[in-house]
Amino acid sequence: MDSSSSSTTTRMFHPRSALRENPQRKKSYENLDRFIPNRSAMDMDFAHYMLTEGRKAKENPPSQSLYQKLLAEAFNMNGRRILAFKNKPPTLVDPIPLFSSSSVHSSKPVKPQRHIPQRPEMTLDAPDIVDDFYLNLLDWGNNNVLAIALGRTVYLWNASNSSISEVVTVDEEDGPVTSINWAPDGRHLAVGLDNSNVQLWDSATNQMLRTLRGGHRLRVTSLAWNHHLLTTGGKDAKVINNDVRIREHIVESYEGHRQEVCGLKWSASGQQLASGGNDNLLFIWDRFMASSNSPRHWLHKLEDHTAAVKALAWCPFQSNLLASGGGGNDRHIKFWNTQTGTCLNSVDTGSQVCALQWNKHERELLSSHGFTENQLILWKYPSMVKMAELRGHTSPVLSMTQSPDGYTVASAAGDETLRFWDVFGNPKAAKPAPKANAEPFADVSHFR
């Protein structure tokens, strides 16, 4: 590279050069101070008049003064200000009292904030409960009796008198019990078994009424009643409607799942059925579209979850609103419009969602969780703001069920405990005070 190009390349602009004076650009006539006028060309007398008397005449011309005087006489101002501080005006006495909306609302009593206990009201020992996410081993019937399956035995706990009884123990080759569900009458109990059969029991007489066979090839892990129909879901991915009144009980079947069906819930109207499976799928089925000749008749096939869908709950105050929860790889609670199949909201809970329960008295949702926190969370709907976190279980909270009055929730976990939470408010009937007992662990009862 030559020297000329080198000097051109290395030459740089210095920012201070913009402030340097260039003497070559200055001309002779610019040596005068531009801010000092030439006084020889000025009329000093005229300038003084304009700065004094001329400005006054311009601001208050005769015509303007006359106009202001006439205006003041017309409005009887008399030189006084229109607005001036005087004595406080007398109080107006209105013969007809007026009530504003603000006064009405202010008189309305403010609803006190509900206390949410952070500890369970009661804890029962639940030995031999099967620690399996896909099973449904807990249900509270309309007769105020809670049923729980522990291994091969189903126990009943009467909430009215706290009595405990055993309703059935299945044979070893048939068990363990994999699902239970009360009929709407609160008397008959459906028991799903590992051998693919379903037994119907009368809790009043402790007698088995019948056994439903031939519907499934593998264990029955989910049950849901709809009047006289008992819907069953199994590990064989089948969903079957059974009419328990007739001999040939299989009346309809739903095909769509590819893996185990672990969640089943009928809507309150009995028209729509929600089913969730280990294939991460959620189906909405319409009862009136069902036909044994056309099993693939789902209303919606929802594929948004990324893990097993076991937790399902229909909203008690909006018939077409369904909440669903995903397993460990999903951790989301999703809300669905079951008429359109639209996902309305999705909330990351941070943990495996095992079960969901709506509050019947307030717009709230309770969720139970597994890995990693093993807690219960109370959410405000629809904002999904956390209202409380209930801790105590040391293993995944596999199942939840709600008392008939809608105030108490029972939760069962792999830590072999059954806990009762007054999370939805205090029952209307006052509870007797617990008796004092000095023995350690006196608050823990046992099924056997």
Side-chain angles (χ1 to χ4, degrees):
M1 182 178 297
D2 56 13
S3 58
S4 60
S5 61
S6 175
S7 60
T8 303
T9 305
T10 57
R11 184 178 181 182
M12 298 178 62
F13 171 78
H14 194 283
R16 294 184 60 88
S17 62
L19 303 178
R20 293 176 183 174
E21 183 181 12
N22 189 344
Q24 296 180 358
R25 295 184 60 183
K26 182 175 290 188
K27 297 183 180 180
S28 59
Y29 64 85
E30 291 180 341
N31 293 330
L32 299 177
D33 192 336
R34 59 179 176 177
F35 294 106
I36 300 177
N38 189 350
R39 291 181 172 84
S40 60
M42 295 179 60
D43 188 344
M44 300 300 294
D45 294 335
F46 178 77
H48 181 268
Y49 172 79
M50 292 301 297
L51 290 174
T52 56
E53 301 300 328
R55 180 177 295 274
K56 294 180 181 180
K58 185 177 181 180
E59 290 179 355
N60 297 302
S63 58
Q64 182 71 15
S65 301
L66 180 60
Y67 170 77
Q68 291 178 355
K69 182 179 179 180
L70 294 176
L71 184 64
E73 292 177 355
F75 286 95
N76 195 23
M77 294 174 59
N78 298 325
R80 295 179 301 174
R81 292 179 297 174
I82 297 177
L83 299 178
F85 292 101
K86 290 185 177 181
N87 295 331
K88 188 175 181 180
T91 305
L92 177 64
V93 179
D94 194 344
I96 303 177
L98 299 177
F99 296 96
S100 63
S101 59
S102 59
S103 62
V104 173
H105 290 302
S106 61
S107 62
K108 185 178 180 180
V110 179
K111 186 177 181 180
Q113 186 175 3
R114 187 177 85 250
H115 171 67
I116 303 173
Q118 300 297 305
R119 296 173 60 87
E121 179 70 15
M122 180 175 58
T123 300
L124 299 178
D125 188 26
D128 300 329
I129 189 170
V130 181
D131 190 359
D132 191 330
F133 171 79
Y134 302 101
L135 307 186
N136 293 274
L137 306 177
L138 187 67
D139 194 32
W140 204 328
N142 291 329
N143 56 353
N144 206 21
V145 175
L146 181 143
I148 184 171
L150 304 177
R152 296 184 292 112
T153 305
V154 178
Y155 293 92
L156 301 181
W157 178 79
N158 191 321
S160 301
N161 54 24
S162 298
S163 63
I164 299 173
S165 61
E166 176 184 327
V167 64
V168 56
T169 297
V170 300
D171 296 332
E172 187 172 355
E173 59 269 19
D174 297 333
V177 176
T178 53
S179 56
I180 57 176
N181 195 242
W182 282 105
D185 61 6
R187 175 172 176 172
H188 299 95
L189 182 68
V191 179
L193 302 177
D194 190 66
N195 68 351
S196 76
N197 293 337
V198 178
Q199 296 179 354
L200 301 182
W201 285 80
D202 187 338
S203 63
T205 61
N206 277 13
Q207 292 182 349
M208 186 177 69
L209 303 178
R210 67 178 301 184
T211 300
L212 307 179
R213 296 184 175 90
H216 296 277
R217 295 179 291 104
L218 300 173
R219 67 180 186 177
V220 180
T221 51
S222 53
L223 302 167
W225 285 92
N226 185 6
H227 301 289
H228 58 273
L229 286 179
L230 175 62
T231 305
T232 59
K235 194 173 183 178
D236 56 5
K238 289 184 179 180
V239 178
I240 299 175
N241 281 346
N242 302 271
D243 190 336
V244 299
R245 304 171 301 176
I246 59 179
R247 182 179 182 86
E248 299 298 328
H249 52 86
I250 300 177
V251 291
E252 288 126 9
S253 62
Y254 304 93
E255 295 183 10
H257 286 285
R258 301 188 297 268
Q259 295 187 36
E260 186 166 21
V261 179
C262 49
L264 280 178
K265 283 291 188 300
W266 279 100
S267 63
S269 64
Q271 180 177 347
Q272 292 184 339
L273 172 69
S275 66
N278 193 35
D279 50 9
N280 310 342
L281 296 178
L282 171 61
F283 284 93
I284 307 297
W285 313 87
D286 193 302
R287 173 73 178 87
F288 301 108
M289 293 173 58
S291 171
S292 57
N293 298 325
S294 178
R296 297 182 181 274
H297 46 260
W298 61 73
L299 184 62
H300 300 293
K301 179 181 180 181
L302 309 173
E303 304 176 88
D304 292 26
H305 283 290
T306 58
V309 183
K310 176 191 175 185
L312 298 171
W314 290 92
C315 179
F317 51 83
Q318 188 173 337
S319 60
N320 61 341
L321 177 61
L322 174 71
S324 63
N329 292 330
D330 183 274
R331 304 181 302 275
H332 281 74
I333 298 175
K334 297 183 183 295
F335 298 90
W336 307 90
N337 182 331
T338 59
Q339 294 295 334
T340 62
T342 304
C343 182
L344 305 175
N345 193 12
S346 181
V347 179
D348 189 351
T349 66
S351 299
Q352 176 190 44
V353 184
C354 301
L356 295 170
Q357 289 286 331
W358 285 97
N359 187 345
K360 298 177 182 178
H361 311 284
E362 303 286 346
R363 292 178 179 260
E364 299 169 358
L365 180 69
L366 182 68
S367 58
S368 70
H369 300 271
F371 183 80
T372 58
E373 298 296 332
N374 306 322
Q375 86 278 40
L376 282 70
I377 301 179
L378 181 63
W379 308 84
K380 186 67 177 177
Y381 183 83
S383 64
M384 292 306 288
V385 174
K386 285 185 183 180
M387 300 180 62
E389 289 196 43
L390 310 178
R391 301 181 183 273
H393 286 292
T394 57
S395 294
V397 187
L398 304 173
S399 301
M400 286 196 304
T401 187
Q402 190 173 163
S403 61
D405 62 11
Y407 289 103
T408 304
V409 172
S411 60
D415 57 9
E416 298 189 337
T417 62
L418 175 63
R419 300 171 188 261
F420 295 83
W421 313 82
D422 288 339
V423 63
F424 291 151
N426 293 322
K428 295 180 180 179
K431 296 184 178 180
K435 297 180 179 180
N437 197 325
E439 297 181 4
F441 307 106
D443 60 335
V444 179
S445 303
H446 297 269
F447 275 102
R448 61 183 183 189

